[in-house]
């Protein structure tokens, strides 16, 4: 008797649905991707009941009645035809599994019309079977309605989260679509309320509609190219970070993707500038030939593999490092007079699209809230403790000014120095500000020697002034950074001393870990570790770098193995925490009275060291306060 069964379509479609359609957001993703692939310039998404009802409408190319029926057949797709097509995929959807999978777990009605047709075709499916076909009047494009999602699969239905959580996941997904397709008008309506809306007016407008004005203010535009690769987008300034990774968006060839290597490289560029549990924020685009990436890695098409990942890394890290060098040596500007920017981040004149009037405060609820993110939606999410969005990312109290968003072609280039624009914003003339920014082989640095020392407060903060601004320096953070730089240089150059252990530290690893250690034994020894292999998978440490005296050996071995597995072993990487602790312990403490000669020496060392103005833990070393801001505190300026 045969034990191998040929599965019925109703069974294998549900199995496929388990991979492709696991929650309402998955359905939205597949439908919106089809709309984008159709060439739509306007896409509207409406959901109700936590996404159990979904409607996606577009003005794309549409389908004829025959293709409309075929679209729901297993593995039917217009995106690929032969095996070789898999090596050069340029569309978002291509597997041919999504529509039949959705139809197997919901009631689906799809209406579609081509421009050349007089009437639109309409097909309705339930449990994967066509139950009705007809023709109707409809505009060019496609409208897909999904009802009673997972109603016929109680086991899947009970694992859905609350309606608010599912709505939040859909909202997060739509944010990514808006950013990835910034020349397409995309909106999201939840239970009759429009919560997201972009007008397809370029990248700045898209970022504004998703993250608000502060994100644009606190990020810098980067752009670089190689013969076949282009990288551009916005990356945060060192003084701006987020407490989770939800503000990290990577778009590859128009597709939002997740790549752990790229995420790590970007974080590593900021590693000495961020506080613990703080992460970079960015919206970055990588465009490259389709045959240089593999997007057929996972059914949800969220992961990609790069053919030449080394070149991507070199290009990415250089562009971000160059951007950081422009602003990491600039004292953090403090503005306390308002919670929202008092001057526009970009030129403002948006009369061609009447989203915002001359005075948006007058109709903020009906226009700004609905067009940009929606106060009620944010309130619901935050009350539900959903951390997909941060309340601070939504700007509803916008200054009464007109808005003009640049298109992609109007974006600033790398030649437009963000620090110059920042200087102009705070009222310091370009010439005066650049006088304080010197440049040498190490890049820009801020010259504190040009400022007059005025005194200190709390025996911790040193106060300097020049012209119309004051600078405050944290003496502990500044000295800590100087020592960290000195210690790090010694480690990198191999000039750090070693210390013999009274008793060798012996540890055991498994076979795979032993292979890694043996492969990198020379590198580990060059770092200043007396590593010796005993029998089997046992090793001993007979000496260590002096700067690591007192370290936790068990934790060290665990960190070493992790770095070897990730192929991220480096001289400083393995000892970074210990170097930070040594610098922190040796630095001048806060609430310590130091003489003016010591202060002069500290400032001289800061200028000589050309250091970034963030301590190893990511805290700012110096902040800058404009005279105008202080006069606002005392109501001299209203």
């Amino acid at each position: 008797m045969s034990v191998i069964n040929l599965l019925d379509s109703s069974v294998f479609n549900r199995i496929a649905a388990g991979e492709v359609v696991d929650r309402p957001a998955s359905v939205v993703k597949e439908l919106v991707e089809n709309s984008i692939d159709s060439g739509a310039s306007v896409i509207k998404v409406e959901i109700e009941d936590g996404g159990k009802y979904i409607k996606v409408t577009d003005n794309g190319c549409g389908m004829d009645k025959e293709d409309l029926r075929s679209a729901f057949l297993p593995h039917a797709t217009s995106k690929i035809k032969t095996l070789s097509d898999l090596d050069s995929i340029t569309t978002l959807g291509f597997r041919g599994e999504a529509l039949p999978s959705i139809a197997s777990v919901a009631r689906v009605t799809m209406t579609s019309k081509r421009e050349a047709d007089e009437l639109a075709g309409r097909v309705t499916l339930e449990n994967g079977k066509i139950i009705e076909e007809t023709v109707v009047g409809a505009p060019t494009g496609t409208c897909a309605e999904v009802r009673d999602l997972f109603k016929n699969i109680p086991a899947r239905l009970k694992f859905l989260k609350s309606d608010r959580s599912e709505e939040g996941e859909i909202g997060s997904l739509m944010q990514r679509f808006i950013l990835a397709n910034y020349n397409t008008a995309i909106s999201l309506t939840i239970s009759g309320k429009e919560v997201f809306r972009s007008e397809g007016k370029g990248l700045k407008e898209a970022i504004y509609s998703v993250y608000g004005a502060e994100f644009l203010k606190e990020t810098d535009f980067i752009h670089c190219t190689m013969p076949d690769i282009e990288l551009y987008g916005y990356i945060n300034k060192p003084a701006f970070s987020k407490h989770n990774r939800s503000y990290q968006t990577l778009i590859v060839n128009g597709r939002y993707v997740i790549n752990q290597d790229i995420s790590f490289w970007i974080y590593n560029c900021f590693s000495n500038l961020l506080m613990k549990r703080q992460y970079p924020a960015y919206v970055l685009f990588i465009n490259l030939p389709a045959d240089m990436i593999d997007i057929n890695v996972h059914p949800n098409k969220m992961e990609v593999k790069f053919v030449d990942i080394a070149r991507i890394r070199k290009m990415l890290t250089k562009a971000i490092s160059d951007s950081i060098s422009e602003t990491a040596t600039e004292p953090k500007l403090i503005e306390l007079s308002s919670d929202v920017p008092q001057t526009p981040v970009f030129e403002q004149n948006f009369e061609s699209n009447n989203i915002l009037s001359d005075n948006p405060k007058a109709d903020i609820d009906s226009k700004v809230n609905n067009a940009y993110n929606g106060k009620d939606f944010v309130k619901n999410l935050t009350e539900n403790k959903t951390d997909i969005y941060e309340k601070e990312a939504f700007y509803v109290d916008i200054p009464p000014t007109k808005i003009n968003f640049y298109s992609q072609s109007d974006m600033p280039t790398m030649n437009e120095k963000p620090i110059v624009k920042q200087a102009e914003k705070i009222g310091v003339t370009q010439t005066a500000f650049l006088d304080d920014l010197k440049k040498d082989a190490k890049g820009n640095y801020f010259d504190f020697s040009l400022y007059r020392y005025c005194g200190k407060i709390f025996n911790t903060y040193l106060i300097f002034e020049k012209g119309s601004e004051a600078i405050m320096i944290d003496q502990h953070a500044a000295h800590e950074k100087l020592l960290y730089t000195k210690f790090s240089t010694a480690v990198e150059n191999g000039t750090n001393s070693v210390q013999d252990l009274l008793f060798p530290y012996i540890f055991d690893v498994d076979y795979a870990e032993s292979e890694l250690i043996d492969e990198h034994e020379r590198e580990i020894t060059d770092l200043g570790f007396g590593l010796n292999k005993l029998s089997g998978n046992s090793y001993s440490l007979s000496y260590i770098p002096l700067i690591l005296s007192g370290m936790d050996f068990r934790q060290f071995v665990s960190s070493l193995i992790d770095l070897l597995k990730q192929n991220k072993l480096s001289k400083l990487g393995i000892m970074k925490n210990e170097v930070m602790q040594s610098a922190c312990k040796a630095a001048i403490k806060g609430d310590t009275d130091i003489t003016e000669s010591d202060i002069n020496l500290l400032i001289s060392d800061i200028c000589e060291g050309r250091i970034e103005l963030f301590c190893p833990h990511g805290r700012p070393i110096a902040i800058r306060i404009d005279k105008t801001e202080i006069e606002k505190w005392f109501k001299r300026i209203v």
Side-chain angles (χ1 to χ4, degrees), residues 72-327:
F72 289 92
L73 296 175
H75 312 301
T77 178
S78 62
K79 317 298 174 58
I80 57 175
K81 191 172 185 179
T82 65
L83 182 63
S84 61
D85 292 337
L86 288 174
D87 296 326
S88 57
I89 296 169
T90 58
T91 55
L92 298 180
F94 59 88
R95 293 176 181 274
E97 300 170 343
L99 291 180
S101 296
I102 294 169
S104 71
V105 295
R107 179 184 176 95
V108 178
T109 299
M110 182 171 284
T111 305
S112 191
K113 175 186 173 296
R114 299 180 304 175
E115 187 174 3
D117 297 332
E118 291 185 9
L119 295 173
R122 174 175 289 172
V123 60
T124 300
L125 299 92
E126 192 165 14
N127 294 325
K129 306 290 186 181
I130 295 178
I131 61 173
E132 183 182 357
E133 285 185 271
T134 186
V135 293
V136 296
T140 299
T142 301
C143 174
E145 287 187 89
V146 178
R147 293 180 171 87
D148 301 327
L149 182 63
F150 299 136
K151 182 180 180 180
N152 59 347
I153 311 180
R156 179 69 56 80
L157 190 63
K158 73 179 182 180
F159 280 103
L160 293 182
K161 297 180 180 179
S162 68
D163 286 355
R164 286 181 178 178
S165 293
E166 296 297 341
E167 289 167 0
E169 188 68 23
I170 293 171
S172 180
L173 172 70
M174 293 305 298
Q175 285 181 315
R176 297 164 187 161
F177 275 126
I178 288 172
L179 295 172
N181 303 276
Y182 49 80
N183 290 322
T184 301
I186 299 176
S187 65
L188 171 64
T189 299
I190 298 179
S191 300
K193 293 184 178 181
E194 190 176 67
V195 294
F196 285 128
R197 183 184 178 190
S198 73
E199 296 299 317
K201 300 297 182 180
L203 181 54
K204 280 194 172 184
E205 186 263 344
I207 292 177
Y208 183 89
S209 67
V210 170
Y211 291 143
E214 187 184 16
F215 189 96
L216 283 171
K217 173 188 170 186
E218 296 292 350
T219 54
D220 288 328
F221 183 76
I222 62 174
H223 183 217
C224 57
T225 60
M226 287 184 173
D228 50 2
I229 304 175
E230 180 184 30
L231 166 70
Y232 68 92
Y234 286 84
I235 186 79
N236 66 283
K237 297 176 182 179
F240 179 75
S241 60
K242 290 294 182 180
H243 68 269
N244 59 42
R245 292 186 175 88
S246 63
Y247 285 77
Q248 299 181 351
T249 300
L250 175 65
I251 311 295
V252 177
N253 287 4
R255 181 191 305 274
Y256 170 80
V257 301
I258 297 172
N259 185 280
Q260 298 298 333
D261 287 332
I262 288 180
S263 178
F264 173 79
W265 298 336
I266 295 175
Y267 180 82
N268 203 43
C269 289
F270 286 90
S271 60
N272 293 333
L273 306 174
L274 296 176
M275 299 180 68
K276 281 188 177 181
R277 292 179 292 278
Q278 292 291 306
Y279 302 94
Y282 53 82
V283 178
L284 294 177
F285 295 76
I286 298 176
N287 294 328
L288 69 171
D291 59 358
M292 290 183 65
I293 58 172
D294 181 6
I295 61 174
N296 198 22
V297 177
H298 192 274
N300 65 16
K301 305 185 287 287
M302 293 280 282
E303 300 177 20
V304 296
K305 289 185 178 179
F306 294 92
V307 173
D308 193 351
I309 193 69
R311 273 210 304 158
I312 299 289
R313 177 181 183 177
K314 181 178 179 181
M315 184 179 190
L316 184 73
T317 54
K318 183 181 187 306
I320 293 176
S321 297
D322 288 347
S323 176
I324 290 174
S325 70
E326 296 285 352
T327 51

Side-chain angles (χ1 to χ4, degrees), residues 554-564 569 574 577:
R554 181 176 297 179
Q555 182 62 45
F556 164 76
V557 172
S558 176
S559 299
L560 173 65
I561 296 298
D562 286 343
L563 289 170
L564 291 175
L569 184 67
I574 197 171
N577 287 335

Side-chain angles (χ1 to χ4, degrees), residues 365-377:
D365 286 334
S366 61
K367 290 189 177 180
V368 178
N369 283 352
N370 290 336
Y372 294 109
N373 311 324
K375 185 184 296 183
D376 291 340
F377 184 54

